[in-house]
Structure formats: structure tokens, C-alpha cells
Amino acid sequence: MRYSMFSLIAQAMKGHSGWPPVWRDAAPKPSYDVLIIGGGGHGLATAYYLASRYSINNVAVIEKGYIGSGNVGRNTTIIRSNYLLPGNTHFYELSMKLWEGLEQDLNYNAMVSQRGVLNLYHSDAQRDSFARRGNAMRLAGVDAELIGLEQVRAMLPFLDYKTSRFPIQGGLLQKRGGTVRHDAVAWGYARAADSRGVDIVQNCEVTGIAIADGSITGVETTRGPIKAKKVALAVAGNSSRLAAMAGMRLPIESHILQAFVSEGLKPLIDCVLTFGAGHLYISQSDKGGLVFGGDIDGYNSYAQRGNLPVIEDVMEAAMGLWPALARVRLLRHWGGIMDMSMDGSPIIDHTPVQGLYLNAGWCYGGFKATPASGFCFAHLIAKDEAHPVAAAYRLDRFSAGRLIDEKGVGAQPNLH
Ligand SMILES: Cc1cc2nc3c(=O)[nH]c(=O)nc-3n(C[C@H](O)[C@H](O)[C@H](O)COP(=O)(O)OP(=O)(O)OC[C@H]3O[C@@H](n4cnc5c(N)ncnc54)[C@H](O)[C@@H]3O)c2cc1C
């Protein structure tokens, strides 16, 4: 069914009793042309673009839980394309352009909200590095504005401009950045892929990868073996575990990232704000809750929950920037498993196993990448060659020394 004003009115006349399921709960078939492991944003987007752009429809997405139970339904929903390095800039800008047309493309309301992303700077040196990033963005055709203190104060009058330990000097603003409702992205891609014949198989865990003579033949799952000509890994925080099933060791560590939501408040902040003197990002959801996050927990883990020291650290940063938050109650928080790569950039590539493809290493910035990641991964799987904007995301760059270290912190996955 196509969603439109007319379908809404027609359903309203029937008491909304006729809406069909958004996607079929498919049972696994014995074999597929392409089998995608992981029903997160990246896996579902890949399936959608394979079917819609490359007419490859004999595809299954295999998800161990339910659609949206991973990071795609756990993130702080921020999208932006404010990258400095050539390997990243064009990829993330493609993603931004795909976000801008996503709702029409999928016929689904994903609540894409280009409310602006403002990165604060607090020193002359930080201003200079933000100016450099802004200039690189503008040279690549991406929007960026370096704004001064008075403009920041006009946008966000409630921040601490008087007693702050790290005085605010200004910010780098990307007006086209913003937020997208995260689980709607999973549901929208799932619905659009399903309507093109893709099987979305939930509650089916991949437990083994079948390889014969160096080539993929299929997978073992909790619902039996499935054969496939091509298998694509898109399992985010579980990438190392799945790669190990194929005999590979990835340059990736898994860490926990937490998100926090306050009680509902009247509209306070109409952009996404990041603190430049610590790790804190904050925005307000349409329900009124302040949504914020900060650093990853400082240890490796596959648990989908975090620990208290990071909660304290994030709250301290929030209070340092915006003291009035002391009176706001935290409503809930949760954690997701991040696939932290050694240079902070992702991998979209072939693997040494013929027919096995890898999409991983998204660290904590993979939500904004969802459309371009799916688009470029589908291109790689369909054509067996890298999409030009994702050509730098090779697995061998770690051994060849062609790192894409956006933050410049070196081989420290917990710092990216
Ligand atoms: C708290 C938090 C805040 C974040 N904030 C942002 C943000 O503001 N902006 C941004 O750009 N990014 C953000 N991220 C990062 C972003 O969410 C991730 O990088 C991105 O969602 C990862 O891709 P995915 O959606 O495909 O992952 P997932 O949704 O995790 O999908 C992977 C799927 O694979 C499944 N799986 C794993 N193992 C198996 C198996 N053996 N068999 C079958 N299925 C399996 C999992 O169940 C999971 O559903 C945040 C992440 C977290 C946790």
C-alpha cells in the first residue's frame, strides 16, 4: 500500500482497521542470491538499494533479534556531513543528499529534520581547526558557516557565557545537519525492501559461515542452513564475532556507547549542539526530551548496556555548558555496541573469502551514514567494484598505512 493523504483518509473512514503489516515476517528460504547478515539500518538499506537500484531481489536480511533492536534504534539520531578528510567528505555528503530525498524515495515519514548542527569552539586554536574543516567542506560543496560568540548567544541564550570554565568563543554550523527518527529509518527501509521482494527474517541468528575452497556457500543459522551466492556482513558491534566465523580478525574493537533522555520539556533548543571542551552532544526530541550522549565506556564489551562513570562524565559536561540542566530529571538511558575501527573510519570492502563482503567499523557515527553505506555496499555487491565515494574504505588500508584518521588520534579505537 502506498502511503498518502488519500490512503490516510480512506483508512480513517474504516476506523484504521485495514492497514496491512508494514513488512512480511518472512521464513527463511533454502537459498538466496544475496544474504545480508544484520537487520540494522545498514543491512536494510543495502537490501533496499540492491532491489531498487540493481534489480537484485532474491535477497534476505537475517536478523538475530527484531528489526531496530540494534544501534539503529539506540542512537541519538544526529545526521551531518561536516568531515575534513577527502576519503570521508564526499561519502558523508552523498549520505546527506540521500537523507534529503529519503522520505519521498521510501514513501515513509522518517521525520528528517534539518535543524542545524552547531559545534562550539572554546579557544583560538580550536577556532582555527574548525575554520580549516569548514573551508574543506565548502571546497567540497558542503555547507558550513563559522559563527562568532554573538551569533551563538542569539541562537542559544541559556548557555553559560559568564562563569564557564571553557568560555564559548563561537561555533562551526552546518545548517543542513540535524536529526532523523532512528527507528523509522529501519522501518522505512524494511518496508521498502520488503515491497520489492526482499525477505526480512527476524529472530534468526547466524551461528556459522559456510566456506568451500575459499568461496562462500552460505550460512548456518538457528533456523537451519541457508545457501547463498553472496553473503554481506552488516552487524555493527558484532562484526568481529561474525568475521571470526569466517576465519578473519578485524582491526575493530567493540565498545559501549550510551544515550540519555530527560523528562519532556517545552521547546528549548532547536538545533543539535556539541560542546568543544569535552564530549557532549545534545538536541531535543519532538516529544520534548533532551537527548544527549558523550564518550564510549572505557572498556571492550558486547553488552548492550553501559556503566555509571560515563553517566557522571556526560552529566558534568552538560552542567559545565548549561548549568540550568541541574534541575532537569534524567528519564532513561541505554547502551549500544559500537564497532570502533583503528582509525575511526569504516570499511566497505571485499574480504579474502570470495563472495563475502564486509560493512563495518562505523564507530559512533554510523547512523548518519546509513543511506550512503547501504547505497555503496549494494554497489559493491552488485558490481564487485567499490563505489567511487567509498573507494577509500578498504580493509587493507590498515596494513598498507593509508589510514583515514579524521580525529588525528592514531590507532586508539576508544578515542575516535
Ligand atoms: C547510544 C548511541 C548513540 C549514537 N548516536 C549516533 C548519532 O547521533 N549519529 C550517528 O551517526 N551515529 C550514532 N550512533 C552510531 C550508529 O547508531 C551506528 O553506527 C549504526 O547504527 C550501526 O549500523 P546499523 O544500524 O546497521 O547497526 P545495528 O542496528 O546494530 O545492526 C546490526 C544488527 O546485526 C544484528 N546481528 C548481530 N549479530 C548477528 C548474528 N549473528 N546474526 C544475525 N544478526 C546479527 C544485530 O542484532 C543488529 O540488529 C550511535 C550509537 C549508539 C549506540
Side-chain angles (χ1 to χ4, degrees), residues 174-394:
Q174 186 185 22
K175 283 191 177 153
R176 287 164 62 242
T179 59
V180 182
R181 180 168 170 173
H182 51 191
D183 37 19
V185 173
W187 301 332
Y189 273 121
R191 172 174 171 268
D194 171 87
S195 71
R196 284 164 178 79
V198 171
D199 280 355
I200 294 167
V201 183
Q202 302 181 88
N203 300 310
C204 180
E205 181 170 354
V206 171
T207 52
I209 292 182
I211 299 167
D213 298 329
S215 297
I216 203 83
T217 58
V219 298
E220 301 293 333
T221 80
T222 47
R223 293 171 72 174
I226 309 174
K227 288 194 166 55
K229 292 179 192 149
K230 295 183 174 182
V231 171
L233 300 183
V235 289
N238 283 286
S239 296
S240 306
R241 284 176 160 171
L242 270 291
M245 293 178 195
M248 292 160 52
R249 188 158 175 249
L250 296 182
I252 283 178
E253 287 184 7
S254 289
H255 289 257
I256 304 306
L257 180 68
Q258 302 189 53
F260 309 91
V261 176
S262 77
E263 60 188 325
L265 302 167
K266 289 193 173 169
L268 270 174
I269 168 172
D270 61 0
C271 66
V272 177
L273 177 66
T274 74
F275 181 40
H279 203 163
L280 170 78
Y281 36 93
I282 188 160
S283 64
Q284 189 165 19
S285 79
D286 292 350
K287 285 194 286 186
L290 294 175
V291 181
F292 46 111
D295 266 325
I296 51 178
D297 284 24
Y299 51 89
N300 297 7
S301 174
Y302 289 110
Q304 276 181 317
R305 61 175 186 277
N307 256 317
L308 287 169
V310 164
I311 302 180
E312 191 176 9
D313 184 58
V314 172
M315 299 309 144
E316 273 177 4
M319 291 279 295
L321 185 66
W322 186 349
L325 289 183
R327 298 180 59 193
V328 174
R329 278 170 297 192
L330 187 66
L331 200 63
R332 54 203 173 91
H333 73 108
W334 60 86
I337 315 165
M338 317 312 315
D339 39 338
M340 307 298 295
S341 67
M342 291 293 154
D343 62 358
S345 296
I347 301 157
I348 302 179
D349 204 358
H350 299 96
T351 71
V353 179
Q354 182 69 32
L356 180 66
Y357 302 81
L358 178 66
N359 177 314
W362 293 101
C363 302
Y364 41 70
F367 176 65
K368 67 175 111 62
T370 305
S373 166
F375 194 88
C376 295
F377 202 31
H379 181 98
L380 175 74
I381 296 164
K383 294 186 168 284
D384 264 316
E385 63 186 35
H387 188 283
V389 302
Y393 296 151
R394 293 174 57 144

Side-chain angles (χ1 to χ4, degrees), residues 31-173:
S31 74
Y32 291 94
D33 290 339
V34 179
L35 199 143
I36 297 165
I37 309 176
H42 293 236
L44 293 164
T46 305
Y48 168 68
Y49 292 117
L50 274 173
S52 65
R53 304 296 200 272
Y54 298 99
S55 302
I56 299 176
N57 306 72
N58 186 19
V59 176
V61 177
I62 305 292
E63 167 55 47
K64 73 172 172 181
Y66 58 89
I67 297 305
S69 57
N71 295 335
V72 69
R74 291 167 179 265
N75 61 65
T76 41
T77 77
I78 301 166
I79 61 162
R80 56 186 172 84
S81 58
N82 53 0
Y83 280 75
L84 169 74
L85 298 181
N88 284 327
T89 321
H90 296 288
F91 173 81
Y92 285 98
E93 181 55 12
L94 170 66
S95 214
M96 184 60 80
K97 291 206 168 94
L98 289 168
W99 283 121
E100 286 169 335
L102 188 81
E103 291 166 315
Q104 288 72 24
D105 193 14
L106 299 184
N107 178 229
Y108 200 85
N109 180 10
M111 295 166 69
V112 177
S113 167
Q114 291 180 288
R115 58 183 69 183
V117 173
L118 179 64
N119 304 139
L120 296 177
Y121 58 81
H122 307 260
S123 67
D124 292 351
Q126 196 170 30
R127 180 203 53 215
D128 291 351
S129 81
F130 280 19
R132 181 173 173 233
R133 177 147 54 100
N135 284 333
M137 289 163 64
R138 291 173 77 118
L139 282 170
V142 184
D143 68 307
E145 286 173 47
L146 197 69
I147 64 173
L149 177 60
E150 288 316 312
Q151 282 166 285
V152 174
R153 199 196 295 266
M155 282 174 74
L156 303 159
F158 43 79
L159 300 183
D160 181 4
Y161 296 96
K162 286 196 186 128
T163 59
S164 167
R165 183 172 166 205
F166 303 102
I168 298 164
Q169 291 192 10
L172 181 65
L173 175 65

